[in-house]
Amino acid sequence: MTTAHNTTPQYPFTAVVGMDDLRLALLLNAVSPAVGGVLVRGEKGTAKSTAVRALASLMPPVDVVGGCRFACAPAAPDPGCPDGPHQAAAVEERPTRMVELPVGASEDRLVGALDIERALSEGVKAFEPGLLADAHRGILYVDEVNLLHDHLVDLLLDAAAMGASYVEREGVSVRHAARFLLVGTMNPEEGELRPQLLDRFGLTVEVAASREPDERVSVVRRRLAYDADPAGFTAGWAAEEDALRARITAARELLPRVTLGDGALRQIAATCAAFEVDGMRADIVMARTATALAAWAGRSDVLEEDVRQAALLALPHRRRRNPFDAPGLDEDKLDRTLEEFGADEGADGDDDPEPDGPDGGPGGGGPDSGGQPPQGGQDGGPQESSAAQSPELPHQQERESAEGPDRPQEQPAAPEQSPEGAPAAGGEKAAVGATEPFKTRHLDVPGLGEGADGRRSRARTAHGRTTGARRPHGALGKLHLAATVQAAAPHQRARGRHGRGLVVRRDDLREAVREGREGNLVLFVVDASGSMAARKRMSAVKGAVLSLLLDAYQRRDKIGMITFRGTGAELALPPTSSVEAGAARLEQLPTGGRTPLSEGLLKAHEVLRVERMRDASRRPLLVVVTDGRATGGPEPVARAARAARLLAGEGTASVVVDCEAGPVRLGLAGELARDLQGTAVTLDELRADSVSALVRTVQGNRKAA
């Protein structure tokens, strides 16, 4: 947990170098928590967590009911508070809490836990609050939010939607308020968020390390100065922190008086419609963000630049059409939309476009400051803002290269392109595009696993249908009430039970054994040799692999990719949770040369051996995409068969996607599947709709007969 009281001063927010979009998004949420939080996407080592943790010290303190573990507001306490009712209770002022949710937290740690033994024996609701209760009226921070377990994500979604947390355990229920500012950070290379959680974040920003040497020098100098003397460094920034805190307070006071005119609201609606975002949450978030921007700039009217900036912060993560689309926004299209649906009536503040902001606030408080927090001085000392900008706040250069269908994407150097896929240097053919992805048939690992929660193979998990009961190993998980009562019942007379109630001992407790689904490691072994290089054929193969990648994303798998061609095999993508990385590698996959099938299988064996040592509970599924030919190296066919039997001997579940085409088929992929003791499917059979069509055909033939 993170409300840990650390004696080391927090790194000052105003000392953070650069990252204008991130700092503005955090400050807008400090001004108006109704904006809905921030998702920070970026590469590792970019001070994402530092900036988020520094935000808490800028938030105004809150008044709470004395002694209430659920931070009830004295003016309007929660009528259903487990610590209530609150009558004439003392009022306490405390700092706004920053609560961190660890990725590996348990459900009980998040929502709280009931003392089941006391509930059964005494009939009381002995409840220990969790992190959601601690975060009420504060900030809930989730680092690496994209790695959070699905069941924790579901609990977060419920709490965020209802503003309350419900704990239900075997007929005993507790409810308490849980309204918090949700802030998450993530590295996209490690996988994307579920769409439902992604939409819960009001704003999103992309961050990347600066490529400017002077700015990098400033970052290092400040960090070294802070590490050498945290208290002294923080004291040097105290004036800037106080000024920024005062500006937040002034903006909060101004916020209720900000007018969102019909013209600005029409621009917001038109922008959301133009970018085809789902639902109406985007419109509401944009309206709240634009209003907060106006208050932050010291204005009482929302202007077009506020709407534009709100779109750049609120829409990129909401316009993804499929999981492989990176967040991004076509700013030219945005400008055209705003111009087309410009306000018909001028705002009251148009005659004076540069009103003064809150006195004493950093950056002068006017629109030209762009609502930006100040930059500090060199060598760890304060200085004036070095980059005052307009409220439009153009995206930083990192954002300009963000991937997405509406933005140019900087790709790794591809092989020399030749017309119509003609061979390039070394007999290599240029990469071809994939066909449209499709829904694939369900592939799973046989047996019952115990891996991480997911949606592919059967497994014993903490969630799912109850299949039995057992004595708990360590802390009690899900109580199996019937089994617990059955275990305690024979001992009631010996324990001296009198009257109502049940005398329950620790040894009587039984936890439920549940069966659900797990995520697997799906390792793709893709044949990129010359026998697969026909343009139309390789396009279909890539489409099939892309479809399987999409299926892996939806089923919460880790994925890896090995390609083989020429004289060897290459681990194109080490096992990762980022299917986007797999799609990017697939797009640039060149073809040509011989078919070293054995090398591809041996490389798969090596990768799986290493991954088994790293995570023994995550079972692998090997997907070999090939026509089954083996032409590379000495005795290629026999060597490939031996490699396949080696994988089969270790119990690796496998599927061979047969890519053989043409009127004459050799059936080599089927032989490979037999050596792997796996299953062979053709490209057509891989489609889920082909299975449905087959069933409909058989049923139709039966009716006709």
Side-chain angles (χ1 to χ4, degrees):
M1 180 166 109
T2 67
T3 51
H5 300 288
N6 194 339
T7 56
T8 303
Q10 180 65 53
Y11 192 91
F13 188 88
T14 49
V16 174
V17 179
M19 298 196 297
D20 294 340
D21 281 351
L22 169 58
R23 292 184 296 143
L24 178 61
L26 292 173
L27 288 171
L28 292 176
N29 276 275
V31 171
S32 176
V35 166
V38 186
L39 174 64
V40 187
R41 298 165 47 93
E43 59 196 27
K44 53 187 176 293
T46 50
K48 301 186 297 292
S49 299
T50 299
V52 172
R53 291 189 177 101
L55 175 68
S57 63
L58 297 175
M59 300 287 283
V62 295
D63 291 333
V64 299
V65 173
C68 178
R69 298 173 298 166
F70 301 89
C72 281
D78 180 11
C81 177
D83 285 354
H86 303 299
Q87 296 177 352
V91 178
E92 297 178 1
E93 183 181 271
R94 74 175 190 199
T96 297
R97 284 181 175 175
M98 164 80 77
V99 177
E100 292 188 35
L101 172 60
V103 169
S106 66
E107 178 181 338
D108 287 347
R109 190 69 193 94
L110 177 62
V111 301
L114 291 170
D115 188 331
I116 300 296
E117 188 171 348
R118 289 190 63 194
L120 288 175
S121 59
E122 303 175 27
V124 298
K125 297 180 181 179
F127 180 69
E128 182 65 28
L131 297 180
L132 290 179
D134 292 334
H136 179 48
R137 303 178 65 204
I139 302 171
L140 181 62
Y141 171 46
V142 189
D143 195 12
E144 306 295 349
V145 63
N146 51 324
L147 303 183
L148 202 62
H149 285 295
D150 275 3
H151 68 284
L152 296 183
V153 170
D154 292 335
L155 293 170
L156 273 181
L157 289 175
D158 290 342
M162 297 183 292
S165 175
Y166 292 84
V167 183
E168 301 284 346
R169 288 290 176 85
E170 310 297 345
V172 181
S173 62
V174 172
R175 173 223 168 263
H176 64 83
R179 292 182 295 275
F180 47 81
L181 173 61
L182 183 61
V183 181
T185 55
M186 60 174 283
N187 183 347
E189 294 177 356
E190 297 173 337
E192 282 292 348
L193 278 176
R194 287 172 55 182
Q196 295 94 329
L197 182 57
L198 194 64
D199 191 49
R200 289 294 178 186
F201 288 97
L203 310 178
T204 185
V205 291
E206 299 273 347
V207 297
S210 172
R211 301 299 184 255
E212 293 294 328
D214 290 342
E215 192 166 303
R216 296 175 74 96
V217 166
S218 182
V219 171
V220 174
R221 285 190 182 279
R222 293 185 190 183
R223 187 68 208 192
L224 293 178
Y226 171 77
D227 291 340
D229 182 11
F233 183 86
T234 303
W237 288 89
E240 281 68 22
E241 292 284 288
D242 289 342
L244 190 56
R245 195 175 294 110
R247 185 173 178 185
I248 292 173
T249 301
R252 280 191 167 193
E253 293 174 353
L254 177 61
L255 185 66
R257 303 194 301 273
V258 174
T259 301
L260 179 64
D262 291 342
L265 194 54
R266 179 177 173 81
Q267 286 182 316
I268 290 171
T271 301
C272 293
F275 285 99
E276 299 179 354
V277 295
D278 295 331
M280 294 297 298
R281 183 173 284 117
D283 303 63
I284 296 171
V285 171
M286 271 191 68
R288 290 171 175 167
T289 305
T291 304
L293 278 162
W296 179 246
R299 288 184 271 99
S300 58
D301 293 290
V302 174
L303 304 181
E304 182 175 309
E305 56 259 33
D306 299 323
V307 176
R308 185 182 193 277
Q309 182 61 45
L312 294 175
L313 292 172
L315 296 188
H317 61 302
R318 291 188 166 89
R319 59 165 308 280
R320 298 176 67 198
R321 308 321 301 171
N322 67 66
F324 302 133
D325 290 341
L329 212 62
D330 184 342
E331 295 190 34
D332 291 336
K333 180 178 179 180
L334 173 60
D335 291 336
R336 291 194 301 270
T337 303
L338 293 176
E339 182 178 355
E340 180 181 355
F341 293 91
D344 295 329
E345 51 187 8
D348 294 340
D350 286 350
D351 294 333
D352 183 14
E354 299 183 1
D356 293 333
D359 293 338
D368 287 339
S369 70
Q372 294 300 303
Q375 294 289 333
Q378 297 178 354
D379 303 334
Q383 71 172 16
E384 294 181 359
S385 175
S386 60
Q389 299 178 7
S390 72
E392 292 184 32
L393 291 175
H395 275 344
Q396 294 176 302
Q397 293 178 355
E398 304 90 74
R399 179 76 63 84
E400 293 175 359
S401 62
E403 297 178 3
D406 296 320
R407 306 282 304 167
Q409 178 177 346
E410 184 178 339
Q411 298 286 2
E416 182 181 347
Q417 297 292 320
S418 304
E420 298 300 325
E428 189 176 279
K429 291 191 176 182
V432 299
T435 58
E436 285 295 319
F438 51 84
K439 182 175 178 61
T440 66
R441 61 184 289 183
H442 179 61
L443 307 175
D444 62 6
V445 179
L448 192 64
E450 294 184 350
D453 287 349
R455 299 181 180 178
R456 184 172 296 279
S457 306
R458 293 175 55 234
R460 295 186 183 93
T461 62
H463 304 272
R465 63 187 181 90
T466 301
T467 59
R470 66 183 178 188
R471 291 180 181 271
H473 303 292
L476 177 68
K478 297 283 188 179
L479 178 77
H480 195 296
L481 181 59
T484 298
V485 172
Q486 186 176 9
H491 309 291
Q492 295 304 296
R493 180 173 298 178
R495 293 173 182 174
R497 171 190 168 189
H498 298 287
R500 305 177 65 180
L502 192 67
V503 181
V504 179
R505 302 281 172 81
R506 175 69 188 177
D507 290 343
D508 301 327
L509 298 179
R510 299 292 185 269
E511 67 180 4
V513 176
R514 296 173 181 267
E515 182 179 311
R517 293 280 172 175
E518 68 176 359
N520 299 112
L521 167 60
V522 182
L523 183 61
F524 295 92
V525 181
V526 182
D527 187 347
S529 64
S531 66
M532 302 279 289
R535 188 175 185 87
K536 183 176 180 181
R537 185 177 176 192
M538 196 62 202
S539 181
V541 168
K542 284 189 175 184
V545 177
L546 190 65
S547 303
L548 290 167
L549 284 171
L550 179 59
D551 182 65
Y553 165 82
Q554 294 169 337
R555 298 186 187 279
R556 308 291 180 262
D557 295 317
K558 287 182 67 175
I559 61 112
M561 184 181 297
I562 294 170
T563 62
F564 60 92
R565 64 187 181 92
T567 59
E570 174 191 5
L571 180 58
L573 181 70
T576 175
S577 297
S578 175
V579 294
E580 292 81 3
R585 298 292 194 281
L586 182 68
E587 183 179 355
Q588 295 301 314
L589 178 64
T591 58
R594 291 183 175 274
T595 312
L597 176 58
S598 60
E599 298 302 320
L601 297 176
L602 290 173
K603 174 65 76 171
H605 177 266
E606 176 187 345
V607 171
L608 294 179
R609 179 182 62 82
V610 173
E611 288 301 309
R612 199 173 289 116
M613 290 188 292
R614 290 177 177 171
D615 186 359
S617 64
R618 189 179 286 270
R619 298 186 296 163
L621 174 63
L622 184 67
V623 179
V624 185
V625 185
T626 181
D627 56 10
R629 298 185 184 185
T631 60
E635 299 183 341
V637 176
R639 194 160 184 260
R642 288 196 296 271
R645 289 193 288 269
L646 177 64
L647 286 162
E650 295 186 345
T652 303
S654 59
V655 175
V656 178
V657 180
D658 185 358
C659 303
E660 191 173 25
V664 179
R665 296 176 181 258
L666 303 179
L668 299 177
E671 294 181 11
L672 174 62
R674 285 190 290 274
D675 288 332
L676 286 168
Q677 296 182 16
T679 304
V681 296
T682 65
L683 287 175
D684 289 336
E685 291 171 343
L686 187 62
R687 293 177 176 269
D689 55 5
S690 69
V691 178
S692 302
L694 177 62
V695 172
R696 288 194 297 269
T697 301
V698 172
Q699 291 175 339
N701 292 339
R702 286 178 177 175
K703 290 179 180 179

